[in-house]
Structures are given as C-alpha cells and as structure tokens.
Amino acid sequence: LKFVRVAAAVVAKSIDTYLHVHLGAVPDVRGPAASASGALEHGVQEEGARGAEIAASKRARTAESVEAPDSEASIALCASVADAAAALADIDCIAALVRRPLGEDTLSGFAEYIESRPQWPNIDELHPLEATCDRVAVIDFSDVASDDTDPLEAARGYGRNLPPRGTAGKEASAKAAMAQVFKVLPESLRMVAAGDAISLLLALRSHTGRRQYILKMELVRGDTCQKWHCDQNICRSLVTYAGPGTITAREGGVQRAPNGCVEAVLDDAAVHISAGDFLIMKGGTWGTNNGRGAAHRAPPIGPVHSCLQHRLLLKVDIAEDF
C-alpha cells in the first residue's frame, strides 16, 4: 500500500509538471507541501531544458565547424619542395604538389628494380595476401637547435637494426636511420630516394616546426586503399618512383560527411600524380581541419596474387610528438 501511495504521488507530480510546461501555470489544490514539491520539480525541469538547449547549441556549432570544407580549398601547385611546405600555412591549401619529372634513366632504373621482384628483408614474414612491405624509421629533431648546420646528423633515428630510444650515447643519427631504410635499393636509386627524403624532412621541419617524422619506403604488391578517403594524421608526403601514382582530388568536387570523412568524389575532380612528383597532403588532425584531410586513393593495380604492376613509394609523415 505504501508503494502504491508513492507511485501515485510520482504520477501526480509528472502530470503537474506536464501541465506547467505545456499548458502554463494551473491552480495547485494539494496544499503547501505539494505546491512546494511541484515548484521544485518544475525548476529542475526548467534547468534540464536549459541544459538540453545548451548541449544542442554546442552540437550545432560543432556540426558547423566540420561541415564540408570550403570548395575554394585548393591543391597548391609549387615550384619546389620548400615552396610546397610553405604553402601549407595557407588555411585554404588542402595539399601541395610539385611536378618533378624523373629522367628517363632514373625511371627505367626504378622500373627495372620493381620488375625484378626484389625480396626485401623480412618479406617472408608477411601474410601471402599482404599488399605492402615497408622499411620504416622515426626521425626525431627534438634536441636539434634551429640553427644547426647539419640537422640530420644531430637528429636521432629509430627503427629496425638501430639502438632503441633512450639508450644515451648509443642512439643512431637520422642519417644512419635513413641508410637502413634505403639500403634495399641499388646505389644509384638510393641516392635519388634519400635526396628526396632529405628535401621533405628539412622543408617540413623548417616551415611547420614539427619535430618528429615517420620515414617509410614502401613496396606495394597489390591493391590498397581503393576507396576515396582522407587520413586522420597531421600530414603525409608521397613520392611514387615506380608504378602508377596516388590519386588526389580538388576540394570542390569532394563530398564529405559531417565529421569530415570523404563520401564521394566527382570524376573530374581527380588529380593523378605522376612518378617523381611530390605530393604533400594535410591530414584530418592538421590544425583546425576537424577531420577534413585531403581526399585521395591508391590507383588500381590488381589483387596481390595476380598483380603485374607493383609500385614503389617514399612516404614522410609528420608524427605526433611521443
């Protein structure tokens, strides 16, 4: 019986609150105690409503901040890697591109290298259907002075076959780490890839102030990332040496979800990157991008088991400090 009385009181209060909210104030005939209880409940209801309005307002502002980016956002066509890195400071620049045709001998050298089906160290550890094999090093400029005359010698490098971070006095230089990454290439090709990596690392460090980078040489043996997407990183730089290049897109032809993810790209918005070109793309975590990184995808080359056109790429990513 006590439970029934309590339940009835709760229902009465709910009805009273409903009448106050939807029909305006009505006479209270239940006495002072009941009136005070109803007033308190109505006050709580009002506070809840105000809280809901504030939350809705915040959600609306957030939705506005990640709405599809300005169609004027552009891919900056630059004359040099340094110019491309500097162009990233422009809020309307979603990516920067340097058209740099490789010489015929260099192109042939990379093509012949890929056609030889090189067996990189530890490639046997991969699953038979794994499409990529890579050589990776972390390049850390954290302790390098801004006016250092040889920042790559002063910077630290970490990766396979190198001393781990924190081994004071034994850590490898960035140059030593880069040598490990590129040692799988013939000497003439090694010089080209290492020179490009140096240009990217120094330009990005100079123009972004970032301290840590992930350097990667990647051998692609089958289809990867066929769907239009954007990376949720700070920034990624790409150079293709063999096989078809990455495909990026002009922002005006990109359709995005409210969170910035790429949903579709118009055919005429696609920009095909050629062998030797430098492409630097802002990621979703760049500055105030709010998830809206540069749209791109990999070119189709076929599944691993039947792919006849492998690719060779250099990647330099800006990494979060760790």
Side-chain angles (χ1 to χ4, degrees):
L1 183 58
K2 182 178 179 181
F3 173 81
V4 172
R5 284 199 299 269
V6 171
V10 170
V11 171
K13 289 181 182 179
S14 299
I15 293 173
D16 183 54
T17 299
Y18 179 88
L19 292 174
H20 272 281
V21 172
H22 295 279
L23 300 179
V26 295
D28 194 290
V29 295
R30 292 175 294 154
S35 179
S37 175
L40 175 61
E41 185 174 9
H42 186 54
V44 171
Q45 185 77 13
E46 287 181 330
E47 287 299 316
R50 282 197 293 271
E53 288 175 4
I54 292 170
S57 176
K58 288 182 178 179
R59 287 194 296 270
R61 288 197 300 272
T62 302
E64 288 171 3
S65 68
V66 297
E67 204 168 321
D70 187 347
S71 61
E72 296 301 318
S74 63
I75 300 172
L77 187 59
C78 303
S80 69
V81 174
D83 289 345
L88 300 176
D90 186 346
I91 195 171
D92 291 328
C93 172
I94 193 72
L97 172 62
V98 180
R99 294 290 191 186
R100 193 275 309 259
L102 292 172
E104 288 298 325
D105 289 346
T106 303
L107 277 174
S108 297
F110 277 116
E112 290 171 5
Y113 173 73
I114 287 298
E115 288 168 4
S116 72
R117 296 298 186 260
Q119 294 296 302
W120 286 9
N122 309 110
I123 199 169
D124 293 336
E125 299 175 4
L126 300 178
H127 187 278
L129 295 181
E130 177 62 49
T132 62
C133 178
D134 50 36
R135 307 275 296 174
V136 185
V138 173
I139 307 299
D140 186 355
F141 291 97
S142 296
D143 299 325
V144 181
S146 59
D147 59 350
D148 196 298
T149 57
D150 192 354
L152 286 171
E153 185 60 38
R156 303 293 90 191
Y158 309 98
R160 188 186 287 267
N161 301 323
L162 296 170
R165 182 188 294 268
T167 51
K170 297 182 180 180
E171 294 172 319
S173 70
K175 288 182 177 179
M178 292 172 65
Q180 285 292 323
V181 170
F182 298 120
K183 68 186 295 185
V184 293
L185 300 176
E187 185 175 358
S188 60
L189 306 181
R190 191 184 312 159
M191 297 299 291
V192 175
D196 290 346
I198 290 170
S199 295
L200 286 165
L201 286 166
L202 295 183
L204 290 169
R205 174 177 179 255
S206 174
H207 290 284
T208 70
R210 289 287 179 167
R211 302 183 300 176
Q212 298 195 41
Y213 298 83
I214 299 174
L215 172 67
K216 183 183 296 185
M217 200 72 198
E218 189 169 271
L219 177 63
V220 184
R221 307 179 298 166
D223 285 335
T224 60
C225 306
Q226 293 295 289
K227 186 177 179 180
W228 284 105
H229 67 284
C230 61
D231 296 328
Q232 293 307 313
N233 58 8
I234 299 171
C235 180
R236 167 161 292 175
S237 306
L238 293 169
V239 182
T240 301
Y241 295 113
T246 299
I247 308 168
T248 188
R250 299 180 186 88
E251 192 58 39
V254 178
Q255 179 182 339
R256 296 181 184 267
N259 64 359
C261 290
V262 178
E263 292 188 329
V265 172
L266 298 178
D267 290 343
D268 60 2
V271 177
H272 294 258
I273 309 306
S274 302
D277 292 348
F278 293 86
L279 175 64
I280 307 178
M281 301 181 292
K282 289 180 179 177
T285 62
W286 173 285
T288 57
N289 268 18
N290 295 318
R292 304 168 300 173
H296 64 285
R297 68 180 179 88
I301 59 175
V304 172
H305 64 275
S306 60
C307 178
L308 300 177
Q309 191 176 30
H310 291 185
R311 304 172 66 214
L312 183 67
L313 295 88
L314 169 68
K315 293 183 178 181
V316 178
D317 291 359
I318 295 178
E320 297 283 358
D321 287 352
F322 55 87

